[in-house]
Amino acid sequence: MRTGEDTHRASYGRTAPSGPQAGYGGEVLVTADGLPGWLHPVVRAVDTVAPEQLSRFLPPENGRGRQSAVLVLFGEGETGPELLLMERSGSLRAHAGQPAFPGGALDLEDGDPATTGPLRAALREAEEETGLDPAGVQLFGVLPKLYIPVSGFVVTPVLGWWRAPSPIQAVDPAETARVFTVPVADLTDPANRATTVHPSGHLGPAFTVEGALVWGFTAGVIDRLLHFAGWERPWDRGRQVPLDWHA
């Protein structure tokens, strides 16, 4: 079994060649072993994608920005592959009411932000926000760090396979309005794709799924994963949805 030190020696942002599952606390592993075949295109995408292929917003060269991580968790639902999302509480000061991946800022106990820190933080925050059991999550990859200018967060997307699903719910209603899963088939359906226009004029991808408009950082990561995994279907980029849309 790989230890945290072994993971540090592995190429960070690449899948490690061995290890039974993701550990939580004492050990954190990145492994591609035991994944379903349909996830292999995502693994290949993680191994090859460059930061500038994911976003035009990259971490500042001066090192500023608060280190954080999100868990991009794939599972197997009743209708096939699905992705775990949550909707932030409408009373929050930042990103209120916005669908997002579970995640948050790194704590000191999470460890080195350049190695295992984001892995531990992604699992810890997902447990705190959705109630999932981290023991059932197998981490298999890490995307390059990205930047959210509006909040100043440097975000590491950590990818996981929900090997043993557990009950989920909004643990703290003051922070999380709801927790839900979205079938990957719905995310790739052209009828659910749209483009949002930020007040600044910036255009970004969006998804109208499960009664929510998924946009911003979360939609950008999903969009690029679908694209580089070869799952993207042609869709009407001229279809625009206002940011105050809701079902």
Side-chain angles (χ1 to χ4, degrees), residues 112-204:
D112 187 353
T115 54
T116 59
L119 310 183
R120 290 194 174 97
L123 287 174
R124 174 181 53 75
E125 287 284 343
E127 181 180 21
E128 292 176 0
E129 293 175 333
T130 74
L132 65 75
D133 182 358
V137 176
Q138 177 176 331
L139 302 183
F140 66 86
V142 180
L143 291 174
K145 293 179 183 292
L146 303 174
Y147 186 58
I148 303 180
V150 65
S151 59
F153 278 102
V154 175
V155 186
T156 300
V158 178
L159 280 70
W161 158 238
W162 210 353
R163 178 179 48 80
S166 53
I168 53 174
Q169 63 177 345
V171 175
D172 183 357
E175 294 188 359
T176 307
R178 64 171 174 144
V179 179
F180 58 102
T181 58
V182 179
V184 172
D186 289 354
L187 294 168
T188 60
D189 187 344
N192 298 329
R193 302 296 308 267
T195 298
T196 55
V197 182
H198 191 270
S200 66
H202 173 66
L203 301 178

Side-chain angles (χ1 to χ4, degrees), residues 6 8 21 70 103 112 117 137 166 177 183 197-198 209 220 222 246:
D6 294 328
H8 175 74
Q21 68 179 62
V70 295
D112 187 353
V137 176
S166 53
V197 182
H198 191 270
V209 291
I222 295 174
H246 60 85

Side-chain angles (χ1 to χ4, degrees), residues 54-114:
L54 293 174
S55 175
R56 67 188 181 97
F57 298 114
L58 303 181
E61 294 183 358
N62 59 14
R64 292 183 179 177
R66 189 175 184 187
Q67 297 293 324
S68 64
V70 295
L71 180 63
V72 184
L73 184 60
F74 289 91
E76 184 81 45
E78 294 181 359
T79 61
E82 61 185 16
L83 198 59
L84 176 67
L85 294 176
M86 53 173 280
E87 186 174 313
R88 300 189 181 282
S89 170
S91 62
L92 292 176
R93 295 172 58 184
H95 308 293
Q98 188 172 343
F101 300 118
L106 271 65
D107 289 343
L108 287 177
E109 70 246 29
D110 293 324
D112 187 353

